[in-house]
């Protein structure tokens, strides 16, 4: 019979075991082996059956077993030690507390998804896992972060396969009471709520759940409350589900409701209010509007409030393609803002102007969340060096007149949280060399450029470790493969072959990620005969483990999954290539360590970062990847192999895939498999082991989330906090008025004349030219601008590359026509074709960069020609 109502009955723990509840509710257990080992020892059978989830475990352990443990003095001593360790971790000073200078009192970090642990399934892929790793690393470093997201009652979908290999989606309902969450409550014990005004006088209400991620609180907003109508209750039903209005309401709740949740949390707990707000992708961009509205309620005008909000906001873009950005119809956004809806103090046209694509090539009737994110943030970044460049090109229309490399978007390359992703066996091998505490610090905090102690590990130990991890993966794959085939309708008699699937002594390749077309799941199938030869080679076989989910609405992606599954179902190769459905964190934690090669073959440059290869590398797995994302930045032959790309302008997509697939097969046949199977004098694959060693010692420290978060603190959070403090109401008003005055006067700003001391178009290296420039500033004064000389090598079309800028100095007052003269030296510091130009930028002490206002004046074409600005 089916129950008419469901409720959660929590166990009553004996007094000596009460700390177990605190340990279960703090998600540090997800990356702290001693805490997990403690929970496993409570009841190994229940631990396994609960999916290694302490909250579920404590709900299933028989009372008799709890009573037995309460009397077990050895267990209670162990519990006390682990609880004391957590208390020290939560209260002691860490890296952040030891830094000089005045760092932010708190940082609010907003993301649409968070992948902290499989026990809290609120993620779909890399963006969420990155956000979860960001919180964990911030906790390890002591950074006072507050995470903000939504609680999706169905999470992301669970994936299974039909008999013919078609992806099927399932949406299990999540009960927050059965998750490692607590309800945020007011002082009187009632649930804390936030509310948004909707058109037609309705409200969207949400309560706030708290997940404690080590030292970091993660606030998750949940609209499934009785006060809402049925439609509003479903706003937080699924991650990335629903139509445009559904997504808009999710993003309004995340951004606007999220700021209100942070304010409520700080009021109730005494946590310091955030000085910096970090928007992880554009989904949470409305948080800037809510903060502007807060300041308007305190009497600040919109323009001044905008400047104050921008100063303390950081925006991270994760997508290298316009199609990956949420865009909404102008009228839909307009309907949800203004006097009868949300943020009534802000004029709707001002809201719309922040997100409209008012640049060449933009869609003027679409509201772009990433564009709004950039306009509301004084500091922005991509997530790898290459992606930073792609982002500057992609969004250059917002800064007309500037070369793409001057667009104010920097990059902080992603990292991964090593304590989460490094296999316990790998950690123990490192701890044997340098001790447990130093090993923990090296993984969590980082800070060194290399892990030299890896050099002292014997080749035999490294090779035995790799085989152990591979063997564990084989066991995991067989278990999952059997379960998958049973779901597909296979009987026991059909599954005898599963016991022979994969071999712990065969070179193992992993490929696991989301399945959009640009990641090219099926590139490996391009020449099936060559792939079969690789899989079935008599002396040097390979085996491949593949996993990944296609978006529920992406039938093209589902066809790719089906194509690969059907190939893997072939009885000739099914012991050598497998597809595992329902890719998630639990699977990934076995997959990364167990593979010898991590394969990544996206269309370059469409992979923003690609952190899965980082997780593999931390376990001694070598990368075989297209030079995209982080691999483009840090690839060395010591760490793996680079798949050549065929990205010439005249190469059509089909030919490009054919060329790159052939290059992949060549690498595997000629370089990868021979190196894995060749044996040196010791009987071990010496050259392979050396690559594993170099990957761990040189690449390992680079790919850490601890390194990433330290970069965010030093390069973005600290400057943003400083700018926030400088932007008091008077300064904000003054900056807003100055910007308005400069924009109004800018049409009258021009470069009128340029002359140089060079007599000819030839000069010697090391010489210095004298520049004299006459400019018209219109209604502006020299204090409002900076006049610069820009110089560098020039290409065949006379564009300056690798430019150097030097400010010129004003000489005397304006002439009779109101023009100003600027002078300065220009050093000829490089040989070959050399060019220079001059330009005028707005200048103000509160600007983060001269490009920030998006205004520039350069010589007219006629003036440039007359000045002879090129030297050859």
């Amino acid at each position: 019979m089916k129950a008419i109502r469901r409720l959660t009955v929590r166990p009553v723990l004996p007094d000596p075991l009460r700390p177990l509840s605190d340990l279960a509710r703090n998600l540090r257990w997800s990356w702290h082996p001693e805490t997990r080992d403690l929970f496993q020892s409570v009841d190994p059978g229940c631990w396994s059956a609960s999916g290694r989830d302490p909250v579920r475990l404590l709900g299933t352990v028989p009372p008799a077993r709890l009573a037995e443990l309460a009397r077990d003095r050895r267990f209670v001593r162990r519990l006390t030690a682990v609880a004391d360790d957590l208390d020290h971790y939560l209260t002691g000073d860490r890296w952040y507390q030891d830094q000089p200078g005045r760092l932010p009192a708190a940082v609010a970090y907003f993301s649409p998804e968070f992948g902290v642990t499989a026990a809290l399934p609120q993620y779909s892929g890399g963006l969420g896992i990155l956000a979860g790793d960001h919180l964990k690393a911030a906790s390890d470093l002591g950074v006072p972060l507050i995470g903000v997201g939504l609680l999706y009652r169905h999470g992301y979908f669970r994936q299974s396969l039909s008999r013919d290999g078609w992806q099927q989606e399932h949406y299990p309902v999540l009960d927050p009471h059965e998750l490692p969450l607590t309800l945020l409550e007011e002082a009187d014990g009632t649930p804390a709520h936030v509310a948004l005004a909707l058109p037609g006088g309705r409200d969207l209400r949400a309560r706030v759940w708290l997940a404690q991620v080590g030292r970091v609180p993660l606030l998750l907003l949940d609209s499934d409350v009785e006060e809402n109508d049925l439609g509003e209750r479903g706003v937080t039903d699924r991650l990335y589900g629903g139509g445009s209005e559904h997504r808009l309401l999710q993003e309004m709740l995340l951004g606007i409701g999220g700021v209100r949740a942070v304010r409520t949390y700080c009021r109730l707990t005494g946590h310091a209010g955030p000085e910096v707000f970090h928007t992880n992708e554009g989904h949470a961009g409305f948080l800037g509007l809510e903060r502007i509205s807060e300041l308007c309620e305190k009497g600040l005008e919109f323009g001044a409030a905008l400047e104050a909000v921008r100063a303390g906001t950081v925006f991270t873009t994760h997508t290298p393609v316009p199609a990956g950005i949420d865009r909404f119809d102008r009228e839909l956004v307009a309907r949800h803002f203004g006097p009868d809806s949300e943020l009534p103090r802000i004029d709707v046209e001002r809201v719309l102007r922040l997100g409209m694509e008012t640049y060449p090539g933009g869609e003027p009737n679409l509201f772009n969340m990433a564009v709004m994110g950039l306009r509301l943030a004084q500091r922005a970044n991509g997530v790898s060096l290459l992606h930073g460049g792609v982002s500057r090109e992609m969004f250059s229309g917002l800064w007309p007149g500037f070369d793409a490399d001057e667009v104010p978007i920097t990059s902080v390359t992603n990292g991964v949280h090593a304590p989460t992703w490094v296999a316990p066996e790998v950690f123990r091998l490192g701890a044997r060399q340098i001790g447990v505490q130093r090993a923990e610090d090296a993984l969590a905090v980082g800070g060194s450029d290399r892990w030299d102690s890896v050099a002292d590990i014997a080749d035999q130990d490294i090779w035995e470790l790799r085989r152990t991890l591979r063997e564990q993966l084989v066991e995991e794959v067989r278990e999952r493969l059997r379960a998958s085939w049973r779901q597909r309708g296979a009987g026991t008699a059909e599954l005898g072959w599963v016991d022979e699937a994969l071999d712990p002594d065969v070179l193992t390749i992993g490929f696991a990620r989301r399945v959009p077309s640009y990641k090219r799941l099926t590139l490996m199938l391009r020449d099936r005969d060559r792939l079969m030869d690789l899989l079935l080679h008599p002396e040097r076989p390979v085996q491949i483990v593949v996993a990944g989910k296609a978006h529920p609405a992406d039938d093209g992606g589902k066809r790719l999954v089906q194509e690969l599954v059907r190939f893997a179902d072939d009885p000739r190769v099914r012991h050598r290539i497998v597809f595992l459905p329902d890719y998630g964190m639990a699977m990934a934690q076995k997959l990364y360590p167990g593979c010898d090669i991590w394969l990544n073959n996206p269309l370059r440059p469409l992979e923003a970062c690609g952190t899965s290869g980082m997780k593999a590398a931390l376990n001694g797995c070598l990368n075989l990847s297209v030079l995209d994302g982080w691999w483009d930045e840090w690839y060395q032959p010591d760490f793996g192999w680079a798949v050549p790309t065929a990205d010439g302008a005249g190469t059509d997509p089909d030919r490009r895939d054919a060329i790159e697939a052939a290059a992949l097969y060549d690498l595997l046949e000629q370089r990868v498999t021979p190196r894995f199977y060749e044996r040196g004098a010791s009987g071990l694959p010496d050259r392979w082991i050396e690559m594993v060693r170099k990957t761990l010692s040189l690449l390992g420290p680079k790919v850490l989330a601890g390194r990433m978060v330290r970069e965010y603190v030093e390069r973005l959070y600290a400057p943003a906090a400083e700018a926030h403090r400088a932007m008091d109401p008077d300064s904000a008003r003054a900056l807003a008025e100055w910007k308005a005055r400069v924009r109004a006067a800018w049409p009258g700003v021009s470069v009128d004349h340029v002359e140089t001391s060079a007599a000819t178009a030839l000069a010697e290296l090391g010489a210095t030219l004298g520049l004299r420039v006459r400019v018209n500033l219109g209604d502006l004064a020299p204090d409002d601008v900076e006049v610069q000389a820009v110089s560098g090598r020039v290409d065949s079309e006379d564009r300056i590359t690798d430019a150097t800028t030097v400010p010129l100095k004003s000489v005397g007052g304006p002439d009779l026509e109101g023009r100003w003269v600027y002078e300065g030296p220009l050093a000829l510091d490089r040989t070959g074709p050399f060019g220079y130009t001059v330009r005028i930028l707005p200048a103000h002490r509160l600007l983060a960069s001269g490009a920030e206002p998006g205004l520039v004046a350069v010589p007219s074409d006629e003036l440039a020609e007359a000045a002879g600005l090129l030297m050859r």
Side-chain angles (χ1 to χ4, degrees):
M1 290 188 296
K2 191 170 182 180
I4 61 170
R5 188 179 174 198
R6 176 191 178 109
L7 55 124
T8 300
V9 181
R10 288 186 174 167
V12 177
L13 294 173
D15 282 343
L17 303 187
R18 288 289 171 86
L20 281 173
S21 180
D22 294 332
L23 290 170
R25 294 281 163 186
N26 191 309
L27 293 173
R28 188 201 182 207
W29 61 257
S30 68
W31 72 91
H32 191 247
E34 287 86 346
T35 309
R36 290 199 304 275
D37 291 345
L38 177 77
F39 280 115
Q40 182 177 18
S41 68
V42 168
D43 189 316
C46 287
W47 176 247
S48 179
S50 71
R52 298 174 174 82
D53 175 352
V55 172
R56 290 177 61 195
L57 167 77
L58 294 180
T60 56
V61 177
R65 174 59 178 163
L66 294 175
E68 179 187 344
L69 288 171
R71 296 190 300 270
D72 184 337
R73 285 184 293 178
R74 181 176 296 176
F75 180 84
V76 172
R77 280 198 304 271
R78 191 173 160 205
L79 170 59
T80 301
V82 173
D84 288 347
D85 181 75
L86 176 62
D87 182 68
H88 175 73
Y89 174 86
L90 296 177
T91 58
D93 284 354
R94 305 191 72 79
W95 171 84
Y96 193 83
Q97 286 69 40
D98 292 335
Q99 297 311 296
R102 192 176 163 204
L103 294 179
V107 176
Y109 179 86
F110 287 64
S111 179
E113 49 176 304
F114 285 92
V116 179
T117 167
L120 188 63
Q122 300 291 308
Y123 61 92
S124 73
L127 179 70
I129 301 298
L130 180 278
D133 282 6
H134 195 109
L135 297 194
K136 295 175 191 174
S139 175
D140 290 340
L141 293 166
V143 181
L145 213 67
I146 302 173
V148 185
L150 300 179
L151 180 68
Y152 304 97
R153 283 306 181 97
H154 296 277
Y156 200 52
F157 71 92
R158 303 292 302 272
Q159 177 197 45
S160 63
L161 300 172
S162 68
R163 187 72 194 223
D164 66 351
W166 188 254
Q167 172 180 296
Q168 297 177 318
E169 298 92 29
H170 314 274
Y171 292 91
V173 178
L174 302 174
D175 181 352
H177 297 284
E178 296 177 1
L179 299 173
L181 301 170
T182 54
L183 201 55
L184 186 63
E185 295 179 339
E186 296 287 349
D188 62 3
T190 58
H193 278 87
V194 298
L196 269 65
L198 299 181
R202 296 172 299 132
D203 281 341
L204 168 61
R205 294 175 65 81
R207 57 187 164 184
V208 184
W209 294 91
L210 172 65
Q212 195 64 42
V213 186
R215 296 166 71 113
V216 173
L218 170 58
L219 310 179
L220 299 172
L221 280 71
D222 171 20
S223 71
D224 189 10
V225 297
E226 292 180 1
E227 297 91 334
N228 284 333
D229 292 338
L230 193 61
E232 282 76 56
R233 291 186 75 155
V235 166
T236 56
D237 59 351
R238 296 178 183 179
L239 179 57
Y240 302 137
S244 286
E245 184 161 24
H246 187 86
R247 290 288 290 274
L248 178 64
L249 288 174
Q250 283 190 342
E251 297 186 3
M252 288 177 65
L253 182 60
L254 174 60
I256 298 169
V259 173
R260 294 172 186 174
V262 169
R263 303 300 188 210
T264 301
Y265 175 79
C266 292
R267 171 176 59 81
L268 293 172
T269 64
H271 194 292
E275 294 185 281
V276 175
F277 284 76
H278 184 173
T279 311
N280 190 38
E281 200 41 272
H283 308 281
F286 289 122
L287 71 87
L289 288 176
E290 168 65 7
R291 293 172 58 217
I292 289 171
S293 178
E294 290 177 334
L295 293 172
C296 288
E297 286 184 12
K298 295 178 181 177
L300 219 54
E301 305 79 13
F302 179 89
L306 172 61
E307 297 304 333
V309 165
R310 291 186 74 254
T313 303
V314 174
F315 174 71
T316 298
T317 173
H318 287 263
T319 179
V321 288
I325 296 168
D326 277 343
R327 300 155 89 202
F328 298 105
D329 182 77
R330 181 184 195 279
E331 297 307 316
L332 175 64
V333 176
R335 191 166 73 249
H336 282 276
F337 288 93
D340 299 322
S341 297
E342 195 45 75
L343 307 185
R345 289 179 174 271
I346 301 179
D347 179 62
V348 174
E349 286 304 316
R350 288 186 181 274
V351 172
L352 294 174
R353 279 202 293 273
L354 287 168
M356 303 311 291
E357 298 180 358
T358 53
Y359 44 81
E363 292 279 349
N365 285 317
L366 287 182
F367 187 93
N368 184 310
M369 294 298 289
V371 166
M372 178 177 66
L374 289 165
R375 285 176 173 153
L376 284 170
Q378 195 174 49
R379 287 163 183 81
N381 68 285
V383 291
S384 68
L385 204 60
L386 178 63
H387 179 238
V390 170
S391 300
R392 287 188 287 276
E393 192 76 49
M394 185 166 142
F395 294 110
S396 60
L398 294 173
W399 290 272
F402 289 89
D403 291 343
D405 60 3
E406 290 192 292
V407 166
I409 300 175
T410 185
S411 62
V412 175
T413 301
N414 284 344
V416 297
H417 185 246
T420 295
W421 300 109
V422 169
E425 295 80 2
V426 176
F427 176 80
R428 285 196 289 269
L429 187 60
R432 219 164 71 195
Q433 295 298 120
I434 60 173
V436 172
Q437 190 59 56
R438 283 184 62 200
E440 285 183 354
D441 290 344
L443 293 180
V445 179
S448 60
D449 294 331
R450 48 193 297 147
W451 290 337
D452 290 325
S453 58
V454 175
D456 301 326
I457 301 174
D459 284 6
Q460 183 71 40
D461 291 343
I462 290 177
W463 190 239
E464 286 179 1
L465 170 70
R466 294 299 316 146
R467 192 191 187 281
T468 297
L469 296 172
R470 201 181 310 118
E471 193 169 36
Q472 290 178 2
L473 175 61
V474 169
E475 292 172 4
E476 178 86 3
V477 165
R478 289 174 182 172
E479 188 178 322
R480 289 178 178 271
L481 201 56
R482 188 174 284 105
S484 172
W485 273 90
R486 285 195 180 282
Q487 278 187 316
R488 295 172 69 185
T492 303
E494 298 176 74
L495 298 179
W497 63 273
V498 172
D499 291 331
E500 304 300 320
L502 304 195
D503 182 331
D505 291 309
V506 167
L507 172 63
T508 304
I509 299 172
F511 182 101
R513 50 194 35 88
R514 289 183 304 109
V515 190
S517 59
Y518 78 86
K519 291 182 184 279
R520 297 192 294 184
L521 171 75
T522 56
L523 187 71
M524 65 181 77
L525 303 182
R526 184 77 192 199
D527 186 333
R528 299 187 180 206
D529 290 339
R530 284 188 79 176
L531 179 59
M532 279 202 170
D533 289 345
L534 279 162
L535 295 170
L536 303 175
H537 194 284
E539 286 103 30
R540 299 194 301 269
V542 302
Q543 56 196 15
I544 307 175
V545 183
V546 185
K549 294 179 177 180
H551 188 280
D554 181 10
D555 280 353
K558 291 181 186 180
R559 280 191 288 273
L560 296 178
V561 170
Q562 185 179 48
E563 185 182 351
L564 197 133
V565 170
R566 285 179 169 174
F567 179 83
D569 284 351
D570 187 328
R572 292 173 295 173
V573 295
R574 65 188 180 187
H575 65 299
R576 285 279 186 260
I577 180 169
V578 298
F579 181 90
L580 301 180
D582 208 29
Y583 179 48
M585 288 186 75
M587 183 195 297
Q589 285 170 319
K590 292 287 187 185
L591 191 53
Y592 298 131
C595 291
D596 301 293
I597 290 289
W598 196 256
L599 176 62
N600 189 31
N601 45 234
L603 281 168
R604 186 182 192 271
L606 301 184
E607 183 87 274
C609 185
T611 53
S612 60
M614 295 178 168
K615 297 162 194 159
L618 278 170
N619 288 283
C621 175
L622 308 183
N623 275 267
L624 171 60
S625 175
V626 166
L627 287 173
D628 202 3
W630 74 274
W631 191 237
D632 180 76
E633 192 171 335
W634 288 331
Y635 161 72
Q636 290 182 25
D638 293 334
F639 307 150
W641 295 268
V643 179
T645 50
D647 49 5
T651 308
D652 68 80
D654 188 64
R655 176 168 163 73
R656 177 175 177 168
D657 283 357
I659 292 171
E660 294 184 14
L664 174 60
Y665 298 134
D666 288 345
L667 278 169
L668 287 168
E669 292 164 351
Q670 299 164 23
R671 296 175 62 189
V672 178
T673 56
R675 181 160 296 193
F676 181 84
Y677 286 104
E678 74 181 8
R679 296 295 184 265
S682 65
L684 299 173
D686 302 333
R687 293 205 298 160
W688 188 276
I689 292 169
E690 187 56 25
M691 290 181 74
V692 172
R693 195 189 305 280
K694 289 283 180 63
T695 293
L696 290 171
S697 61
L698 300 178
L699 189 56
K702 293 179 186 290
V703 301
L704 297 179
R707 184 271 312 153
M708 171 189 74
V709 172
R710 282 187 282 111
E711 280 194 49
Y712 272 110
V713 168
E714 293 162 356
R715 294 176 46 207
L716 294 170
Y717 294 168
E722 189 176 338
H724 162 78
R725 293 178 199 124
M727 203 67 71
D728 57 63
D730 289 342
S731 298
R733 287 189 187 95
L735 181 59
E737 290 166 2
W738 176 84
K739 281 189 175 180
R741 180 168 60 83
V742 168
R743 286 196 179 98
W746 203 254
V749 175
S750 61
V751 178
D752 289 357
H753 180 75
V754 181
E755 60 185 62
T756 177
S757 59
T760 68
L762 289 172
E764 292 184 349
L765 181 67
T768 299
L769 302 182
L771 274 182
R772 184 177 176 86
V773 182
R774 191 167 69 240
V775 301
N776 186 354
L777 300 183
D779 294 331
L780 300 181
D783 286 347
D784 295 321
V785 301
E786 180 170 282
V787 180
Q788 297 176 341
V790 185
S791 64
R793 284 200 181 89
V794 290
D795 61 16
S796 58
E797 296 180 7
D798 293 338
R799 291 181 300 228
I800 297 174
T801 60
D802 193 20
T804 299
T805 60
V806 177
L808 303 177
K809 291 185 178 179
S810 173
V811 181
D815 63 16
L816 295 176
E817 295 176 321
R819 290 171 173 77
W820 300 79
V821 174
Y822 283 76
E823 292 182 348
L826 181 64
L828 306 182
D829 57 358
R830 59 198 89 180
T831 56
F834 184 90
Y836 68 88
T837 187
V838 294
R839 67 181 180 185
I840 309 171
L841 302 179
H844 193 284
R845 66 179 181 84
L846 294 176
L847 296 181
S849 79
E852 183 182 316
L855 300 172
V856 60
V858 296
S860 64
D861 292 342
E862 296 80 8
L863 178 60
E865 229 171 87
L869 299 184
L870 299 174
M871 307 194 71
R872 300 189 183 279

